[in-house]
Structures are given as C-alpha cells and as structure tokens.
Amino acid sequence: MLSAADILDILATGATTRIEDPARAPAFAPGDEVVTRTLSPLTHTRLPRYCRGKRGVVVKVHGLYALPDVRAIGDEETREYCYAVRFDMRELWGPQGAATDSLTIDLWDSYLLPAPAEATP
Amino acid sequence: MAGQHDDHDHGDHSHNDHAHDGHDHDHFHRIHSQEADALLMSIADIEISARVKALEELLTQKGLIDPSALDAVVDLYENQIGPKNGARVIARAWADPAYKAWLLADPNAAIADLGFAGAQGENMVALENTADVHNVVVCTLCSCYPWPVLGLPPVWYKSMPYRTRIVRDPRSVLAEFGTVLPATTEIRVWDSNSEVRYLVVPRRPEGTEGLDEAALAALVSRDSMIGVTEALSPEPA
Amino acid sequence: MNSVHDCGGFDGFGRVVPEGYDGSEPVFKHEWERRMCALFMVTIGAHYSDDEFRQSRERLEPVTYLTRPYYEQWWFAVARLMMEKGLMTPEEFGRHLAAGPTPSADILAGDA
C-alpha cells in the first residue's frame, strides 16, 4: 500500500515508458510522407477515426514508447517509435477544412505506412 | 503475420502488426467481466458520492489504499500545482531569449530548471506562437494535459464540445474565446494522444518592455498556454 | 475501440465556453470529485496502467459516457478495473455499497 509520502514521490518523479535503444532506427524521418492505416480494434487504440486512411507528413520523431493498443491488454514490453504526424485540414475534412490550417497528432509505427508516390493527374 | 511476441523486424514497418493481428476479439473477452458489467449497471443510479465513498472504504478495508495518501494528492493538485507554474516558465522565456531557446530545444530540462517536473510532464514539447503560426492543444480521446505546468485540466478542455470541434474548425472555437486571428495565420491543432505533453508559448504582449518576470507571469493565463487565447494585455499605466 | 470517446469532428455538441466564464474555475466542484481523482492517483501504476484505465473508461456504454460527469466516468473506469483485476468482487462491492458508510470509514474519508 502506498503511503502519502510514497504517492507524492511517485507524482513528483513521474513515469514514462520511453526507452533508448540505439540498435533500433526509426522507420520514418521528419519530412517523410506517410499514410495512416485503417484499423478498428475492439480494444484500445490511439489512432482516432478522423485520421485513419489519411496522408500526412512526419514532423518529429518522439522516440520509442509503449504501444497503447497492446499495453491496454497487458503487454508492458512492446516498444515502437512514436512520431508527430501533420495533416492538412483539407485532407481530414475535405473542402470544409481551412486551407491555412493543420492538425498534428502522435502516431506509432503500427499505425503508419510509407505514402505511395502521388499519382500524376 | 507478426504475433504479439515476435522479436524481429522491428524496423520494418511492413511487419508491425503487433496490435492488430486479428485476435483483439479474444483480448476483449479475456479482460471483459460480465459480472462487473451487471453490477455496475445495477448501481449506476445510486448517488455518485455514495459510490465513491464505498469504493474508498472497501479498498481501505482491504489494505489497498491509505486515505491519508488521498488527502495528500488532493492537496497537491488543488493547492500546489497549477497554471502559475507554467506562467513562470513562459515569463522566463519572454524575459530571457537564451532560456526561450532552451525551452524550445530541451523543454524537459528547461522546465525542470524552474523546479517543475513529474507525472504527466515526463516528455514535454513547447510550441511557440508567432505572428504567422498559432498553436492550440486538445486531447480528443480522453484528457491528456501537462499537469506539472498547468495542473489538472478545466472542465471545458475535457468536454465533448471542445474535443469534437477544435480539430475540425479551430477558428470558430478560438472566436468563442474571443481570439480572432488574421485569415492568413496558420493554425496548428495538436491532438495530444501519446505520452508527449504540449505547452504553448504565447506571444509576448505589446507594451510589456519594462516589466519584470513576476509582472510578466501575471499576464500568462492558463488558457493562453493551451492556445485558445492570447496572453493578457498589461493594464494601461 | 470505435465508441463515442473517439469524437474528433462530431457535430452538434454546442458551445465550448461556459456562460460567464472568466478564465478560471475551481479545480474540484464537489467533495466526491476530490476523493475520486485521488482514488485514481493512488491506484494507477500500482494496479493498472494508464492505457488500461483509458480502455476501461472507453468501455462505458455510449449513453453513460455522454451523460455522466467526468469524474463519475473515472469512478466507472476504476471500479471496473478493480473488479476485473480481482481486487474486489462485484458481489462484495455491491454488498458494501448496500450496507452504507461505516462510521469509522466516514471519519477516515474526511468528508467535511
């Protein structure tokens, strides 16, 4: 059982699943274009419906973190790279999105595929 | 297809099917308790204060929790940690260009230098608002928020109106807060859905050249560090 | 999970800013919110992860999720986890709730 002192210590220290593993290189780098997968698990995911099957660009590599989808069902071991990925509002919402604006969201390797080359019109 | 325990091909994104191997139906049934469902449904309309008290009592009787630890947590988040912490970070960044550069490059270290760290602030990113770019933060799936610098989130941040609207039409939400930006300003919405926590660095208001850090901090509202408003303007002398 | 928690882009939820909002609000509005928030803080990590907690909250049926206050949703999520992790049984919690508060626990809870 955690005492008051224990819990204050835990909250002051924090906890993260982030690890460093120089042997594992991220699959994507800032500037890479990606497409999000379409997934509908019955269990937890951090890939919202509004950005499934959408094309975006990686803007930052956050590092290796637990994958929420499997951690929610007890897998504390798996780590994947997590990236900030930016989408144009028009990609997410069509013509009702503002052309000036964007949405950035953190996505893991399991959610992402490399974007195919744009089709020539 | 990669299983849950494969230890190969981690760098190969064509094989990263950890979460989605077709077995999540089994996973769902493994964690799901119909007895828990039935009990929760049967007591859902009993006064919530009685249900909270009963949970605290039973877990205390079982030796799982110490009520004095709950008191300490309430005091921490109600009286000690809050947006005044973040305001000190922003005021320092406004006053000291070297600190601002450090905050943007290594936010964990720069924020810890002022004494702020801990749960829900382990992996910080600072987002600088400029004349051309305005950042605003949400968590659409739950209520992720940088506790060490902002405390616990306000009700509107956790509400369905904010979570549904800000990702699709941020300008209308900002306008509701009285924040009207030029049509040419690029709005960047950040959906905070990972372990990374975002702190907006609002623009320093005009007419604050002579102010010290304490006076600057008084202009840094909680909402300006989420990005729904600008910082406050100084009172005319 | 494709439920109502995954709400980005939904229409029809109305205004964001509360009437009379001046930029501030109390951290907690009711004593039970204080206790529930703290119950979460002292059990997460020790008995469940944040991802398990989020999943438990998302498993609320949609009407409950949309109509119950934030910290009541936390109550459902934590109570469910305590039962599904075997830390209390549905039967014993139901019995404890029906019996009402015990005087000693009342004092411990500090419900002033």
Side-chain angles (χ1 to χ4, degrees):
Chain A
M1 179 170 65
L2 299 172
S3 69
D6 294 335
I7 188 68
L8 290 178
D9 189 50
I10 288 168
L11 291 170
T13 305
T16 179
T17 70
R18 185 177 181 179
I19 60 164
E20 301 289 338
D21 183 353
R24 291 177 63 180
F28 303 105
D32 285 357
E33 293 201 25
V34 291
V35 171
T36 52
R37 298 176 66 180
T38 294
L39 303 167
S40 296
L42 288 175
T43 42
H44 184 65
T45 185
R46 303 301 278 179
L47 177 66
R49 273 173 286 188
Y50 73 78
C51 66
R52 294 177 189 167
K54 304 293 185 185
R55 188 181 184 107
V57 61
V58 172
V59 294
K60 186 175 170 55
V61 180
H62 287 310
L64 279 166
Y65 286 89
L67 177 64
D69 304 50
V70 295
R71 189 163 177 249
I73 49 178
D75 175 357
E76 291 283 334
E77 304 305 315
T78 298
R79 295 291 182 278
E80 288 193 357
Y81 273 98
C82 180
Y83 313 84
V85 180
R86 182 162 298 156
F87 300 88
D88 292 342
M89 286 292 188
R90 293 235 160 134
E91 170 72 5
L92 301 179
W93 312 111
Q96 281 75 33
T100 42
D101 303 340
S102 65
L103 181 131
T104 310
I105 184 166
D106 299 331
L107 302 174
W108 285 255
D109 283 312
S110 278
Y111 304 165
L112 298 172
L113 296 168
E118 300 259 25
T120 324
Chain B
M1 174 137 331
Q4 212 181 314
H5 303 293
D6 71 330
D7 54 1
H8 60 276
D9 284 344
H10 280 297
D12 181 348
H13 39 73
S14 66
H15 290 275
N16 49 24
D17 287 347
H18 276 297
H20 309 295
D21 51 10
H23 295 307
D24 54 68
H25 209 84
D26 300 340
H27 291 308
F28 182 80
H29 287 292
R30 183 163 57 76
I31 58 177
H32 183 84
S33 159
Q34 291 187 354
E35 292 74 22
D37 256 358
L39 185 271
L40 290 173
M41 201 174 294
S42 72
I43 62 177
D45 291 325
I46 293 173
E47 188 72 27
I48 181 59
S49 57
R51 280 180 282 144
V52 171
K53 183 168 281 190
L55 185 59
E56 180 179 341
E57 282 180 3
L58 185 56
L59 297 182
T60 301
Q61 284 178 17
K62 285 173 164 286
L64 292 169
I65 61 168
D66 173 355
S68 71
L70 274 69
D71 298 337
V73 168
V74 170
D75 179 59
L76 180 68
Y77 286 105
E78 190 161 34
N79 303 319
Q80 295 175 50
I81 293 180
K84 283 192 165 53
N85 293 1
R88 281 189 51 205
V89 173
I90 303 305
R92 174 68 56 87
W94 285 347
D96 179 351
Y99 182 83
K100 182 162 117 182
W102 189 25
L103 176 65
L104 296 173
D106 189 356
N108 283 359
I111 292 167
D113 192 58
L114 293 184
F116 311 129
Q120 299 297 312
E122 297 91 345
N123 303 284
M124 293 295 300
V125 167
L127 305 169
E128 183 185 18
N129 283 354
T130 66
D132 300 321
V133 175
H134 184 97
N135 298 282
V136 58
V137 181
V138 62
C139 171
T140 62
L141 296 174
C142 48
S143 51
C144 295
Y145 196 73
W147 296 350
V149 284
L150 297 187
L152 299 177
V155 170
W156 63 259
Y157 180 88
K158 303 178 287 193
S159 73
M160 295 299 278
Y162 185 67
R163 290 159 55 193
T164 55
R165 287 175 55 198
I166 191 73
V167 293
R168 172 163 160 186
D169 187 11
R171 277 172 206 274
S172 79
V173 176
L174 295 184
E176 237 183 65
F177 280 94
T179 308
V180 179
L181 300 172
T184 51
T185 300
E186 175 186 348
I187 298 181
R188 291 182 182 163
V189 181
W190 298 75
D191 190 349
S192 173
N193 66 327
S194 74
E195 289 180 52
V196 175
R197 295 288 171 269
Y198 294 93
L199 176 70
V200 173
V201 181
R203 297 165 71 193
R204 180 172 175 163
E206 306 280 332
T208 55
E209 289 72 20
L211 298 184
D212 63 16
E213 272 186 45
L216 289 172
L219 303 176
V220 185
S221 65
R222 191 251 329 269
D223 292 355
S224 73
M225 293 182 279
I226 301 172
V228 291
T229 64
E230 311 250 32
L232 305 173
S233 293
E235 299 287 336
Chain C
M1 190 181 312
N2 290 346
S3 193
V4 289
H5 72 283
D6 181 3
C7 61
F10 281 19
D11 290 326
F13 282 92
R15 277 182 64 84
V16 173
V17 180
E19 289 300 323
Y21 181 64
D22 69 354
S24 66
E25 61 176 57
V27 178
F28 301 107
K29 295 189 178 64
H30 304 284
E31 177 62 13
W32 68 266
E33 294 180 333
R34 290 186 182 86
R35 302 315 286 183
M36 188 60 238
C37 179
L39 265 175
F40 160 81
M41 298 269 189
V42 303
T43 49
I44 191 171
H47 299 295
Y48 51 88
S49 69
D50 41 10
D51 292 311
E52 289 176 310
F53 171 75
R54 292 185 183 114
Q55 177 168 262
S56 186
R57 183 178 167 210
E58 292 164 11
R59 287 166 64 203
L60 271 173
E61 49 104 10
V63 172
T64 307
Y65 187 98
L66 290 173
T67 54
R68 300 300 173 103
Y70 179 74
Y71 285 115
E72 183 173 355
Q73 296 174 29
W74 281 28
W75 178 86
F76 278 105
V78 173
R80 173 182 286 286
L81 283 166
M82 291 294 120
M83 291 188 279
E84 291 189 341
K85 298 252 174 203
L87 296 163
M88 65 184 195
T89 67
E91 189 276 332
E92 72 180 325
F93 184 70
R95 186 156 35 85
H96 186 86
L97 181 66
T102 55
S104 60
D106 228 11
I107 293 161
L108 284 173
D111 195 1

